[in-house]
Amino acid sequence: MNDMTPTKLKAADFATDQEVRWCPGCGDYAILKGVQRTMAEMGATPENTVFISGIGCSSRFPYYMETYGFHTIHGRAPAIATGVKLANPDLDVWIVTGDGDGLSIGGNHMMHLLRRNLDCQVLLFNNEIYGLTKGQYSPTSRVGTRSPSTPYGSVDAPAEPCAFALGSGARFLARCIDTAQKQMPDILKRAHAHKGASFVELYQNCIVYNDDVFGAFTDKKESAHTQIWLQHGEPMLFANGEKGIALDTETLALKVVDVKDGDWQAAGVRVHDERNKVMAGLLIAMRVPDFPVALGVIYENPAPSFEQDVRTQNVEASKGKVVDLEALIKKGQTWEVNQKKLREV
């Protein structure tokens, strides 16, 4: 008797034979390894997994994943992903996009995918620059960013990806850093387990055109004071437990407090609640040097997904009806072409 036990795949089983072509030192390499490792750890199957991308450095991703994939057009990955998921709701659909692809030309598609709550995972690589087209400023580039398109410094107010997603109705929000290989698999697994649209912002360093733009909070020597990794039901502590995040009840704004002798409750430190949408908005807005950057799962509030509702609606609409394509075609306004009358005309 043949052993039908599925073979446990390894990270290498999700790597293709294609030459990975990003600039040496690009953060995309680390994300790719993190995703491949996660696929293996959570028991994903290549034949049931689809990676869909638009245009940009990050959008080469499907070529390097031993799964099904689509390299689509600029900003339209959410539209293609919607079609794939509606055609086969059983597929695991992952969207890989960048801050330019997903929030500029693709901003409209991204908004509607999130508000519809399609069951998929959106991985938005944010390097705050257009890398593929040689360093133009992007929707997330900071004021003052010098680039070929803004040689005197950008005057645009930057978009905040997670705030955009939250405002668009996303039910799952998380953040990670390209080099955070310890935390990345758990975040991606959580995103995959969530039924609905999961939005994960990945801070990704562009070593050529925007090197070290996130250095203020990614520098390992200072990371204990500049990063806070959130855990549902746990106090929001950082700096090795010596500081925490509290809520000023008068201004309804967050503040950093000192924690003495480990007594975080006396200091007024808040416990992270992933269901609290108002708190999620406040956490997203935290910035160094006044605050640490919030990382991990920031918000999760499940709701019925789009393709599930569409399938249910279709079942209800078809009850008691007989499938007759010919009758459908002939239904409504019809006319007959009279060849004799045509010749007379």
Side-chain angles (χ1 to χ4, degrees):
M1 184 173 65
N2 293 330
D3 184 5
M4 300 300 291
T5 304
T7 303
K8 184 174 176 57
L9 300 178
K10 300 177 182 179
D13 294 318
F14 288 91
T16 68
D17 60 358
Q18 299 296 301
E19 178 187 0
V20 181
R21 300 187 65 183
W22 287 311
C23 299
C26 175
D28 288 355
Y29 286 98
I31 298 173
L32 176 63
K33 291 299 182 184
V35 171
Q36 290 171 341
R37 182 175 139 213
T38 302
M39 293 290 111
E41 289 182 2
M42 69 183 190
T45 55
E47 66 273 13
N48 202 58
T49 306
V50 186
F51 279 84
I52 301 172
S53 66
I55 296 297
C57 294
S58 64
S59 294
R60 294 174 177 169
F61 215 84
Y63 295 106
Y64 310 141
M65 293 297 301
E66 190 59 58
T67 64
Y68 286 106
F70 287 92
H71 187 181
T72 71
I73 55 179
H74 210 359
R76 272 64 175 187
I80 303 298
T82 300
V84 170
K85 193 68 178 180
L86 287 175
N88 189 348
D90 295 329
L91 292 176
D92 285 337
V93 176
W94 297 75
I95 296 174
V96 178
T97 185
D99 46 299
D101 180 63
L103 298 180
S104 184
I105 191 171
N108 180 51
H109 292 280
M110 183 68 71
M111 177 185 72
H112 294 302
L113 176 119
L114 295 174
R115 72 170 180 82
R116 286 171 175 153
N117 199 34
L118 186 80
D119 187 19
C120 65
Q121 295 71 239
V122 179
L123 307 183
L124 186 138
F125 296 18
N126 183 13
N127 55 21
E128 297 189 2
I129 206 74
Y130 280 104
L132 187 67
T133 49
K134 307 302 182 282
Q136 290 84 358
Y137 78 108
S138 82
T140 59
S141 296
R142 305 174 195 188
V143 173
T145 298
R146 294 182 180 275
S147 72
S149 54
T150 55
Y152 300 107
S154 172
V155 296
D156 276 9
E160 164 48 64
C162 281
F164 169 86
L166 188 66
S168 297
R171 315 291 300 200
F172 181 99
L173 296 175
R175 277 198 193 127
C176 193
I177 301 168
D178 53 9
T179 55
Q181 293 297 299
K182 179 180 178 181
Q183 295 90 346
M184 189 182 296
D186 287 339
I187 292 173
L188 296 179
K189 290 174 189 176
R190 284 286 311 275
H192 178 262
H194 175 81
K195 296 305 178 184
S198 300
F199 184 89
V200 181
E201 179 184 11
L202 295 163
Y203 290 116
Q204 177 254 322
N205 188 50
C206 176
I207 196 169
V208 176
Y209 297 109
N210 214 16
D211 190 25
D212 211 28
V213 69
F214 303 119
F217 65 88
T218 58
D219 180 75
K220 291 184 178 180
K221 295 180 181 179
E222 300 296 328
S223 61
H225 298 272
T226 59
Q227 300 174 13
I228 181 167
W229 290 90
L230 303 171
Q231 291 286 342
H232 180 64
E234 297 293 329
M236 294 191 283
L237 297 170
F238 66 105
N240 302 314
E242 296 178 358
K243 294 182 180 295
I245 302 298
L247 181 67
D248 189 317
T249 55
E250 292 186 5
T251 63
L252 298 180
L254 297 182
K255 61 181 180 180
V256 174
V257 294
D258 294 321
V259 177
K260 297 181 180 179
D261 301 321
D263 193 349
W264 57 268
Q265 292 173 309
V269 174
R270 300 276 302 191
V271 172
H272 181 45
D273 179 7
E274 293 174 354
R275 296 294 183 94
N276 192 326
K277 188 174 183 178
V278 174
M279 182 59 69
L282 297 175
L283 291 169
I284 287 168
M286 293 197 309
R287 288 288 181 274
V288 290
D290 299 319
F291 293 94
V293 171
L295 300 165
V297 178
I298 299 171
Y299 178 67
E300 181 180 24
N301 190 8
S305 60
F306 179 65
E307 77 291 340
Q308 178 184 341
D309 285 344
V310 170
R311 173 172 277 192
T312 300
Q313 185 182 65
N314 288 342
V315 170
E316 290 297 321
S318 63
K319 282 183 177 179
K321 297 180 180 179
V322 178
V323 179
D324 189 337
L325 182 60
E326 183 177 0
L328 179 63
I329 293 173
K330 293 181 177 179
K331 182 180 179 181
Q333 295 181 342
T334 61
W335 62 92
E336 180 180 348
V337 178
N338 189 305
Q339 293 294 330
K340 181 179 180 181
K341 290 185 177 180
L342 283 175
R343 286 196 293 270
E344 292 175 354
V345 172

